[in-house]
Amino acid sequence: MAFLSWLQDSTLGTAVRESALMYPFILTLHSIGMAFLVGLNALVDLRILGFASTVPLASMSRFFPVMWLGFWLNAVTGVVLLIQAATQHLTDPVMYVKLVLVASGVVVLRKIHTRVVRGPANLGAAAAMDGRALAIASLVLWTLAITAGRLTAYTFFRFWNW
Amino acid sequence: MELVNDALALAIATLLRFQNATGFPQWVNLHTSVWPIAEILHFIGLCLLIGVVGGFDLRLTGMARQVPIAALGRLLPWGVVGFLLCLGTGVLFVAGNAFAPGEYLRNVSFLWKMLFIVLAGVNLWVFHLTGTAARVLVLAPGDDTPLVAKVIGGTSLLLWVGVIVFGRLLPTLGDAF
């Protein structure tokens, strides 16, 4: 707890929290990163699941740098957002759930990148099935991550109830 | 500007009449899970919108050139699903805000957000009206896109990112919450 206070009261934490501009700016970047990471991932997932099947899967590999950029933008802005309210966010179980879900989503995305999109040109039936399972897992994980993320805005203040 | 002010005043007055007649904000306020669920759906919708429409726009700017544009376009209905999710939940927010009824219609960030959405629609209309849509649909994989397609795609990306920005700045630029 003392460590969390130390984080929150650090120069960076205080600067962001007390600035009228910095906190909204960083939160906005976090939203944009989410939109491109999750959004483009969903685009690839939909293709893997068979929509617009005439798009060659391998051709979508050029979208991945944008996804990874979104991820790193969110990793950096996310750390800053955690630090500036460390005592609230890092004592909130829902935040940890979100982080695990995000990590899982990223692991699945990496697998999709290497095994499905960059995989051999003619995927065997087993590998194609594998791709579908990953795509479904990806969509589910990101939906849950968004849900958990949104809920931290409430569990953080602790007045939200079912 | 007088016209805009008058139109907004009319919109606010109509909204307040609706709210008084139906008690919708009170219903939303009473069922405390409605607003958070709507927010979650709003975020899911925006991700679908940015991912599918944004992905298509990135292709229009010339990224991922091996992706056939016509085929990629077949995913656009999912982007529309995202947009409709956002529209539906957005209407709920505007109509159901019990904390400060009519708030959003007086919020400058909200008004910019709506303007950017309208401009994105105009941009889409230009895409079709100029025949650019027809031109890009016959491109083969590997072909670069014409300059007008790059401009339209880039404009769309900027506008939708702007929509996210103004949405995020509702409590800051305006006075929401």
Side-chain angles (χ1 to χ4, degrees), chain B residues 25-58:
Chain B
Q26 287 68 35
W27 180 86
V28 169
N29 201 37
L30 182 66
H31 298 86
T32 51
S33 49
V34 170
W35 192 276
I37 289 175
E39 285 182 325
I40 291 163
L41 291 173
H42 202 76
F43 273 40
I44 291 171
L46 91 84
C47 287
L48 263 180
L49 177 58
I50 295 287
V52 174
V53 173
F56 188 79
D57 289 334
L58 285 170

Coordinates of all heavy atoms in Angstrom, one line a residue, chain B residues 25-58:
Chain B
P25 N -35.2 9.0 -18.2 CA -34.0 9.1 -17.4 C -34.2 8.5 -16.0 O -33.2 7.9 -15.5 CB -33.8 10.6 -17.3 CG -34.6 11.2 -18.4 CD -35.7 10.2 -18.7
Q26 N -35.3 8.6 -15.5 CA -35.6 8.0 -14.1 C -35.5 6.5 -14.2 O -34.9 5.9 -13.3 CB -36.9 8.4 -13.6 CG -37.0 9.9 -13.1 CD -36.9 10.9 -14.3 OE1 -37.4 10.6 -15.4 NE2 -36.2 12.0 -14.1
W27 N -36.0 5.9 -15.3 CA -35.9 4.5 -15.5 C -34.4 4.0 -15.6 O -34.0 3.0 -14.9 CB -36.7 4.0 -16.7 CG -36.7 2.6 -17.0 CD1 -37.5 1.6 -16.4 CD2 -35.7 1.9 -17.8 NE1 -37.1 0.4 -16.9 CE2 -36.1 0.5 -17.7 CE3 -34.6 2.2 -18.6 CZ2 -35.4 -0.5 -18.4 CZ3 -34.0 1.3 -19.3 CH2 -34.3 -0.1 -19.2
V28 N -33.7 4.7 -16.4 CA -32.2 4.4 -16.5 C -31.5 4.6 -15.2 O -30.7 3.7 -14.8 CB -31.6 5.3 -17.6 CG1 -30.1 5.2 -17.6 CG2 -32.2 5.0 -19.0
N29 N -31.9 5.6 -14.5 CA -31.2 5.9 -13.2 C -31.5 4.8 -12.2 O -30.7 4.4 -11.3 CB -31.7 7.3 -12.7 CG -30.7 7.8 -11.7 OD1 -29.5 7.7 -11.8 ND2 -31.2 8.5 -10.6
L30 N -32.8 4.3 -12.2 CA -33.2 3.3 -11.3 C -32.5 2.0 -11.5 O -32.1 1.3 -10.5 CB -34.8 3.1 -11.4 CG -35.4 2.2 -10.4 CD1 -35.3 2.7 -9.0 CD2 -36.9 2.0 -10.8
H31 N -32.4 1.6 -12.8 CA -31.8 0.3 -13.1 C -30.3 0.6 -13.3 O -29.9 0.9 -14.4 CB -32.5 -0.3 -14.3 CG -33.9 -0.6 -14.1 ND1 -34.9 0.3 -14.3 CD2 -34.5 -1.7 -13.6 CE1 -36.1 -0.2 -14.0 NE2 -35.9 -1.5 -13.6
T32 N -29.6 0.5 -12.3 CA -28.2 1.0 -12.3 C -27.2 0.3 -13.2 O -26.1 0.7 -13.5 CB -27.6 1.0 -10.9 OG1 -27.8 -0.4 -10.3 CG2 -28.3 2.0 -10.0
S33 N -27.6 -0.9 -13.7 CA -26.7 -1.6 -14.6 C -26.9 -1.2 -16.1 O -26.1 -1.5 -16.9 CB -26.9 -3.1 -14.5 OG -28.3 -3.4 -14.6
V34 N -28.0 -0.4 -16.4 CA -28.3 -0.1 -17.8 C -27.2 0.8 -18.3 O -26.7 0.6 -19.4 CB -29.6 0.7 -17.9 CG1 -29.8 1.3 -19.3 CG2 -30.8 -0.3 -17.6
W35 N -26.8 1.9 -17.6 CA -25.8 2.8 -18.1 C -24.4 2.1 -18.4 O -23.8 2.3 -19.5 CB -25.7 4.0 -17.2 CG -24.9 5.1 -17.8 CD1 -23.5 5.3 -17.7 CD2 -25.4 6.3 -18.4 NE1 -23.2 6.5 -18.4 CE2 -24.3 7.1 -18.8 CE3 -26.7 6.7 -18.7 CZ2 -24.5 8.3 -19.4 CZ3 -26.8 8.0 -19.4 CH2 -25.7 8.8 -19.7
P36 N -23.9 1.4 -17.4 CA -22.6 0.7 -17.6 C -22.7 -0.3 -18.8 O -21.7 -0.4 -19.6 CB -22.4 0.0 -16.3 CG -23.2 0.7 -15.3 CD -24.4 1.2 -16.0
I37 N -23.8 -1.1 -18.9 CA -23.9 -2.0 -20.0 C -23.9 -1.3 -21.3 O -23.3 -1.7 -22.3 CB -25.2 -2.9 -19.8 CG1 -25.0 -3.9 -18.7 CG2 -25.5 -3.6 -21.1 CD1 -26.2 -4.7 -18.4
A38 N -24.6 -0.1 -21.4 CA -24.7 0.7 -22.6 C -23.3 1.2 -22.9 O -22.9 1.2 -24.1 CB -25.6 1.8 -22.4
E39 N -22.5 1.6 -21.9 CA -21.1 2.1 -22.2 C -20.3 0.9 -22.8 O -19.5 1.1 -23.7 CB -20.5 2.5 -20.9 CG -21.0 3.9 -20.4 CD -20.3 4.3 -19.1 OE1 -20.0 3.4 -18.3 OE2 -20.0 5.5 -19.0
I40 N -20.4 -0.3 -22.2 CA -19.6 -1.4 -22.7 C -20.0 -1.7 -24.2 O -19.1 -1.9 -25.0 CB -19.9 -2.7 -21.8 CG1 -19.3 -2.5 -20.5 CG2 -19.4 -3.9 -22.5 CD1 -19.8 -3.4 -19.4
L41 N -21.3 -1.7 -24.5 CA -21.7 -1.9 -25.9 C -21.3 -0.8 -26.8 O -20.9 -1.0 -27.9 CB -23.3 -2.0 -25.9 CG -23.9 -3.3 -25.3 CD1 -25.4 -3.2 -25.2 CD2 -23.4 -4.5 -26.0
H42 N -21.2 0.4 -26.2 CA -20.7 1.6 -27.0 C -19.3 1.4 -27.4 O -18.9 1.6 -28.5 CB -20.9 2.9 -26.2 CG -20.9 4.1 -27.0 ND1 -22.0 4.5 -27.7 CD2 -20.0 5.1 -27.2 CE1 -21.8 5.7 -28.3 NE2 -20.6 6.1 -28.0
F43 N -18.5 0.9 -26.5 CA -17.0 0.6 -26.7 C -16.9 -0.5 -27.7 O -16.0 -0.5 -28.6 CB -16.3 0.3 -25.4 CG -15.8 1.6 -24.7 CD1 -16.6 2.7 -24.7 CD2 -14.6 1.6 -24.1 CE1 -16.2 3.9 -24.0 CE2 -14.1 2.7 -23.4 CZ -14.9 3.9 -23.4
I44 N -17.7 -1.6 -27.5 CA -17.6 -2.7 -28.5 C -17.9 -2.2 -29.9 O -17.2 -2.5 -30.9 CB -18.5 -3.9 -28.0 CG1 -18.0 -4.5 -26.8 CG2 -18.7 -4.9 -29.1 CD1 -18.9 -5.5 -26.1
G45 N -19.0 -1.4 -30.0 CA -19.4 -0.9 -31.2 C -18.3 0.0 -31.9 O -18.0 -0.2 -33.1
L46 N -17.7 0.8 -31.1 CA -16.6 1.7 -31.6 C -15.4 0.9 -32.1 O -14.8 1.2 -33.1 CB -16.2 2.8 -30.7 CG -15.1 2.7 -29.7 CD1 -13.8 3.0 -30.3 CD2 -15.3 3.7 -28.5
C47 N -15.1 -0.2 -31.4 CA -14.0 -1.1 -31.9 C -14.3 -1.7 -33.2 O -13.5 -1.8 -34.1 CB -13.7 -2.1 -30.8 SG -12.8 -1.5 -29.4
L48 N -15.6 -2.2 -33.3 CA -16.0 -2.8 -34.6 C -15.9 -1.8 -35.7 O -15.4 -2.1 -36.8 CB -17.4 -3.3 -34.5 CG -17.6 -4.8 -34.2 CD1 -19.1 -5.1 -34.1 CD2 -17.0 -5.7 -35.2
L49 N -16.4 -0.6 -35.4 CA -16.4 0.5 -36.4 C -15.0 0.8 -36.9 O -14.7 0.9 -38.0 CB -17.2 1.7 -35.8 CG -17.3 2.9 -36.7 CD1 -17.9 2.7 -38.0 CD2 -18.0 4.0 -35.9
I50 N -14.2 1.1 -35.9 CA -12.8 1.5 -36.2 C -12.0 0.4 -36.9 O -11.3 0.6 -37.9 CB -12.0 2.0 -35.0 CG1 -12.6 3.2 -34.4 CG2 -10.6 2.2 -35.3 CD1 -12.4 4.5 -35.2
G51 N -12.3 -0.8 -36.4 CA -11.5 -2.0 -37.0 C -11.9 -2.2 -38.4 O -11.1 -2.4 -39.3
V52 N -13.2 -2.3 -38.7 CA -13.7 -2.7 -40.0 C -13.6 -1.5 -41.0 O -13.0 -1.6 -42.0 CB -15.1 -3.2 -40.0 CG1 -15.6 -3.5 -41.3 CG2 -15.1 -4.5 -39.1
V53 N -14.2 -0.3 -40.6 CA -14.2 0.8 -41.5 C -12.8 1.4 -41.5 O -12.3 1.8 -42.6 CB -15.2 1.9 -41.0 CG1 -15.0 3.2 -41.8 CG2 -16.6 1.4 -41.1
G54 N -12.1 1.4 -40.3 CA -10.7 1.9 -40.3 C -9.8 1.0 -41.1 O -8.9 1.5 -41.8
G55 N -10.0 -0.3 -41.0 CA -9.2 -1.2 -41.8 C -9.4 -1.0 -43.3 O -8.4 -1.0 -44.0
F56 N -10.6 -0.8 -43.7 CA -10.9 -0.5 -45.1 C -10.3 0.8 -45.5 O -9.7 0.9 -46.6 CB -12.4 -0.4 -45.3 CG -12.9 -0.3 -46.7 CD1 -12.9 -1.5 -47.5 CD2 -13.3 0.9 -47.3 CE1 -13.3 -1.4 -48.9 CE2 -13.6 1.0 -48.6 CZ -13.7 -0.2 -49.4
D57 N -10.4 1.8 -44.6 CA -9.7 3.1 -44.9 C -8.2 3.0 -45.0 O -7.6 3.7 -45.9 CB -10.1 4.2 -43.8 CG -11.5 4.6 -43.8 OD1 -12.1 4.5 -44.9 OD2 -12.0 4.9 -42.7
L58 N -7.6 2.2 -44.2 CA -6.2 2.0 -44.3 C -5.8 1.4 -45.6 O -4.8 1.8 -46.2 CB -5.7 1.1 -43.1 CG -5.6 1.8 -41.7 CD1 -5.3 0.7 -40.7 CD2 -4.5 2.8 -41.7

